[in-house]
Amino acid sequence: QVQLVQSGAEVKKPGASVKVSCKVSGYTLTELSMHWVRQAPGKGLEWMGGFDPEDGETIYAQKFQGRVTMTEDTSTDTAYMELSSLRSEDTAVYYCATPRKPQLYWYFDLWGRGTLVTVSS
Amino acid sequence: DIQMTQSPSTLSASVGDRVTITCRASQSISSWLAWYQQKPGKAPKLLIYKASSLESGVPSRFSGSGSGTEFTLTISSLQPDDFATYYCQQYNSLWTFGQGTKVEIK
């Protein structure tokens, strides 16, 4: 059974960085195209970035460029999302999500359970 | 960037009602649209992909239609388990979500 297992909740101070992990089980990370979506409390879903299978590169939403880095460790089938220069508005649940078959389609039919990141002084 | 606009933001309905949610794209996205259902504290769940294709295991009371810039999600007979928030998402050019439609009990 394919699962995306995310790391636990984090509390960070403004200006700090946070790194959230997403471990794949039941698949290998190279078979997937990992993306990150966040949701602030009481707000909607916001796509942050992910792997574009068309050009083979990670692309970031313009809003997060320069502040977010998405990486992968294929030896452990774990994807990471690091967000720097945190501010209170970054308080949110961060989800990893992917198509099960990115070579065929690009909608997200597999999601992690989410990681709550709280930014507070 | 492509913007997605859903309406209404909130919808009050009763069990058994037919419910329709609209999603508009700021430019044509062909049929590259998905619909998700999200319940409090849970990850989104895929309902519909390619505008009108029903994801495996999703009840047939859910249906999607549209192409280009106008899309709809219809629930033919609302069930107690369907009270949730629904999001559209375009995947024609990068990925963008609509702001969500909360379906609440009337």
Side-chain angles (χ1 to χ4, degrees):
Chain A
Q1 183 180 354
V2 185
Q3 286 188 79
L4 304 180
V5 181
Q6 296 191 226
S7 49
E10 302 260 13
V11 179
K12 296 292 182 181
K13 294 194 181 305
S17 297
V18 67
K19 193 169 186 178
V20 179
S21 68
C22 174
K23 182 170 175 57
V24 177
S25 65
Y27 266 55
T28 62
L29 189 52
T30 53
E31 297 176 280
L32 303 174
S33 173
M34 200 62 71
H35 292 251
W36 293 87
V37 175
R38 79 175 187 180
Q39 186 171 39
K43 302 296 185 183
L45 302 169
E46 184 174 32
W47 176 77
M48 299 179 68
F51 186 75
D52 186 342
E54 192 144 85
D55 61 17
E57 296 198 355
T58 299
I59 49 177
Y60 302 119
Q62 194 162 6
K63 175 178 179 178
F64 300 101
Q65 280 186 5
R67 213 162 59 93
V68 69
T69 305
M70 296 173 188
T71 56
E72 296 183 348
D73 182 345
T74 55
S75 68
T76 61
D77 290 320
T78 303
Y80 298 92
M81 186 283 301
E82 184 170 20
L83 188 62
S84 62
S85 303
L86 290 169
R87 34 208 188 230
S88 58
E89 311 89 87
D90 294 319
T91 294
V93 175
Y94 290 77
Y95 294 100
C96 55
T98 178
R100 289 175 195 258
K101 297 183 179 180
Q103 63 274 46
L104 296 180
Y105 55 80
W106 294 355
Y107 50 85
F108 304 150
D109 53 351
L110 187 59
W111 292 73
R113 297 178 73 172
T115 296
L116 175 62
V117 175
T118 302
V119 183
S120 174
S121 54
Chain B
D1 289 7
I2 298 175
Q3 308 302 317
M4 306 300 293
T5 304
Q6 287 182 234
S7 61
S9 296
T10 306
L11 189 158
S12 298
S14 302
V15 172
D17 284 353
R18 182 181 180 88
V19 166
T20 298
I21 298 168
T22 298
C23 179
R24 289 187 175 88
S26 59
Q27 63 190 74
S28 177
I29 57 170
S30 184
S31 295
W32 304 122
L33 184 101
W35 289 96
Y36 299 85
Q37 177 193 67
Q38 188 181 33
K39 295 183 178 178
K42 301 292 187 183
K45 172 189 173 185
L46 178 70
L47 298 176
I48 301 281
Y49 61 91
K50 207 174 179 185
S52 60
S53 296
L54 193 67
E55 172 71 347
S56 176
V58 174
S60 59
R61 62 181 179 273
F62 290 92
S63 64
S65 65
S67 66
T69 62
E70 292 245 355
F71 302 86
T72 58
L73 172 70
T74 299
I75 309 172
S76 60
S77 177
L78 198 65
Q79 298 302 300
D81 191 47
D82 301 338
F83 291 98
T85 301
Y86 294 85
Y87 294 91
C88 62
Q89 178 207 38
Q90 68 83 19
Y91 52 99
N92 177 73
S93 175
L94 302 185
W95 293 261
T96 316
F97 291 93
Q99 81 277 19
T101 296
K102 183 178 181 180
V103 176
E104 60 180 26
I105 300 172
K106 190 171 184 179

